[in-house]
Amino acid sequence: IRESATLTRDVLEQHFNDLKGTLKKLLDERLMSLLQEVDAIEQDSIKPLDECQKLIEHGVSTADDLLREGESAVHGDVGQQNEKLCSFTKKALHIQLDSLPEVPSLVDVPCLSAQLDDCLLTILKNQIFRHGTVASRPPVQLEEFIEKPGGILVRWCKVDDDFIPQDYRLQYRKSTTSHFEDVYVGSETEFIVLHIDPNVDYQFRVCARGDGRQEWSPWSVPQIGRTTLVPHEWTAGLEGYSLSSRRNIALRNDSQSCGVLYSKAPTYFCGQTLTFRQVLSGIETVGQPDRRDSLGVCVEQQNGYDSLQRDKAVCISTNGAVFVNGKEMTNQLPAVTSGSTVTFDMEVVQLGPSSNEGGNFKLRVTISSNNREVVFDWVLDQCCGSLYFGCSFSYPGWKVLVF
């Protein structure tokens, strides 16, 4: 309680400090905009008045000069009087002393003022007093962590009956010193978080967004999840396949070489779910299918084969056919296409007291693809605690993620 209360105080203080800084910035920008508007109106309005004043002052100055010249002509010498009067008369005829520039009336002259509505304070006050809430219990909580090879299946649930969720938001971080980052946003209540290092603690939290709302709910109580299972990896270096940096994605390249790409180690154990996902390698296309193409598991790596459709292996071809020890079953699954997900689940079925000593060993296998599944028993001549997985594609363009 104390930790969450301290965190909540820090969040509130930071949020309102940010708000105050933003509001001050917005008010300063609005003030500057209004002041610039006043300056612009003043300059535009005063310019014609200044020009009118200059014309009037010039006319008065000209008339004053003419008046002094006339007085000089009248009071001057008799010999020069006629010449000065003649010059004065010519100037007087060319100067229009009885005209003035048009002066705007008072109603046309701007008179600036500022209109400031006090209701803004009332609106802000009402909004501020309703801004933010403190919740003692978030509407969703983390429910379960299930270990996966190199990943964790995280499940959460709604704990507030009155809350109607529209979306969920899951975040995680590797250690308490790093920042949380989004790993899933959507309507599902579970998600497999991949790229998890084994035997390392990760902290998770989840929140939700109510139906028709934009803001997210408070975060759930952070919880620690970890996996002890090493990630599935394809074997590097096989010509014909290119791997991702984490070696969990295999891309069939355009090399003419063919063969089965196996896992680096027998990392699949009974009781787990092995998932293959066909991801896009081009714009919206996958490779051309071939009847030898296959995805599956096997007891051991056997080089020299171009398909998993062989002894001591179970697999599904890209056309949906299921093979057990190299023999095709009558049951068939949907074809593997772009975005398809194929899963393998196995459990041990004991046959007699000698099953762990080299006798018959039976595994119950469930293969699922596109919401359909087949279930059968796979009989082996030896006990297998772990299995390899593999794939084979004849044509380039196929891209498979394993987890």
Side-chain angles (χ1 to χ4, degrees):
I1 294 175
R2 289 193 178 98
E3 182 180 355
S4 63
T6 300
L7 179 61
T8 302
R9 291 189 191 97
D10 293 341
V11 170
L12 288 172
E13 290 176 357
Q14 182 64 45
H15 177 75
F16 277 86
N17 284 334
D18 292 343
L19 272 182
K20 285 189 284 187
T22 303
L23 284 174
K24 184 180 183 305
K25 181 180 178 182
L26 291 174
L27 288 172
D28 289 343
E29 289 178 353
R30 181 55 180 164
L31 173 60
M32 184 60 64
S33 174
L34 292 173
L35 291 176
Q36 290 175 350
E37 189 175 346
V38 171
D39 294 341
I41 295 175
E42 180 185 24
Q43 292 175 6
D44 291 342
S45 302
I46 206 71
K47 184 177 180 180
L49 294 178
D50 285 340
E51 292 176 351
C52 182
Q53 182 177 1
K54 290 178 181 178
L55 288 174
I56 294 174
E57 290 176 349
H58 177 70
V60 171
S61 176
T62 302
D64 188 54
D65 292 342
L66 185 63
L67 179 61
R68 284 195 294 271
E69 185 176 344
E71 291 177 347
S72 175
V74 172
H75 300 291
D77 297 337
V78 177
Q80 298 177 346
Q81 192 174 32
N82 290 335
E83 183 180 350
K84 289 183 178 180
L85 285 174
C86 182
S87 174
F88 170 78
T89 303
K90 289 180 180 180
K91 289 183 179 180
L93 291 174
H94 287 88
I95 297 176
Q96 297 179 350
L97 299 178
D98 58 346
S99 65
L100 289 173
E102 183 180 359
V103 178
S105 62
L106 285 178
V107 295
D108 295 328
V109 176
C111 180
L112 280 74
S113 63
Q115 287 75 47
L116 302 172
D117 195 345
D118 291 338
C119 71
L120 175 63
L121 294 176
T122 303
I123 295 173
L124 287 175
K125 180 179 178 181
N126 293 333
Q127 292 293 329
I128 290 172
F129 284 166
R130 290 198 303 266
H131 181 68
T133 58
V134 175
S136 59
R137 289 179 177 83
V140 291
Q141 291 285 9
L142 295 168
E143 183 179 31
E144 187 179 17
F145 297 98
I146 299 177
E147 293 184 57
K148 296 290 182 180
I152 301 175
L153 173 59
V154 184
R155 289 177 175 155
W156 54 89
C157 62
K158 182 170 71 79
V159 295
D160 185 351
D161 294 335
D162 298 328
F163 184 80
I164 302 176
Q166 174 180 321
D167 291 308
Y168 298 99
R169 181 182 180 187
L170 178 67
Q171 290 189 336
Y172 83 128
R173 61 183 179 183
K174 190 171 183 178
S175 64
T176 56
T177 57
S178 60
H179 295 289
F180 279 100
E181 60 182 89
D182 288 343
V183 69
Y184 173 75
V185 176
S187 58
E188 301 295 329
T189 56
E190 66 177 34
F191 183 75
I192 296 180
V193 183
L194 299 176
H195 310 319
I196 296 293
D197 295 330
N199 302 308
V200 174
D201 287 341
Y202 287 81
Q203 197 171 38
F204 295 85
R205 66 182 185 180
V206 67
C207 65
R209 180 162 50 196
D211 189 19
R213 303 183 69 89
Q214 295 296 323
E215 69 276 7
W216 292 98
S217 73
W219 290 105
S220 66
V221 177
Q223 295 189 40
I224 300 295
R226 63 159 44 201
T227 182
T228 59
L229 305 176
V230 296
H232 292 317
E233 294 183 9
W234 299 103
T235 299
L238 180 64
E239 187 179 358
Y241 292 90
S242 304
L243 305 184
S244 63
S245 59
R246 289 182 174 266
R247 295 185 292 277
N248 60 341
I249 298 178
L251 170 65
R252 180 66 168 94
N253 56 38
D254 55 5
S255 170
Q256 296 300 318
S257 176
C258 61
V260 179
L261 176 65
Y262 293 102
S263 58
K264 180 180 178 181
T267 53
Y268 175 64
F269 297 89
C270 292
Q272 298 177 1
T273 297
L274 177 68
T275 303
F276 298 98
R277 180 172 296 162
Q278 174 61 39
V279 295
L280 291 176
S281 58
I283 300 176
E284 286 186 354
T285 60
V286 295
Q288 179 183 347
D290 186 275
R291 62 181 182 83
R292 297 168 297 174
D293 295 345
S294 51
L295 295 164
V297 297
C298 56
V299 175
E300 58 191 7
Q301 297 180 350
Q302 292 185 8
N303 298 322
Y305 289 89
D306 60 359
S307 174
L308 277 175
Q309 300 167 16
R310 60 168 176 79
D311 189 36
K312 295 184 180 180
V314 294
C315 64
I316 176 176
S317 67
T318 52
N319 63 8
V322 177
F323 291 84
V324 182
N325 291 332
K327 296 180 180 180
E328 184 176 354
M329 296 182 61
T330 56
N331 294 336
Q332 186 161 331
L333 292 170
V336 178
T337 58
S338 171
S340 292
T341 298
V342 178
T343 61
F344 286 76
D345 291 276
M346 299 188 185
E347 59 179 340
V348 177
V349 179
Q350 299 289 350
L351 281 183
S354 63
S355 60
N356 290 330
E357 301 175 0
N360 287 337
F361 187 75
K362 183 187 293 185
L363 296 177
R364 183 148 296 157
V365 181
T366 302
I367 305 178
S368 302
S369 176
N370 293 336
N371 297 321
R372 290 182 56 187
E373 65 180 30
V374 294
V375 182
F376 56 89
D377 289 339
W378 182 23
V379 179
L380 300 169
D381 59 3
Q382 61 183 2
C383 177
C384 295
S386 58
L387 298 166
Y388 290 88
F389 57 86
C391 71
S392 62
F393 298 102
S394 300
Y395 298 100
W398 294 94
K399 191 176 185 180
V400 179
L401 165 68
V402 61
F403 58 91

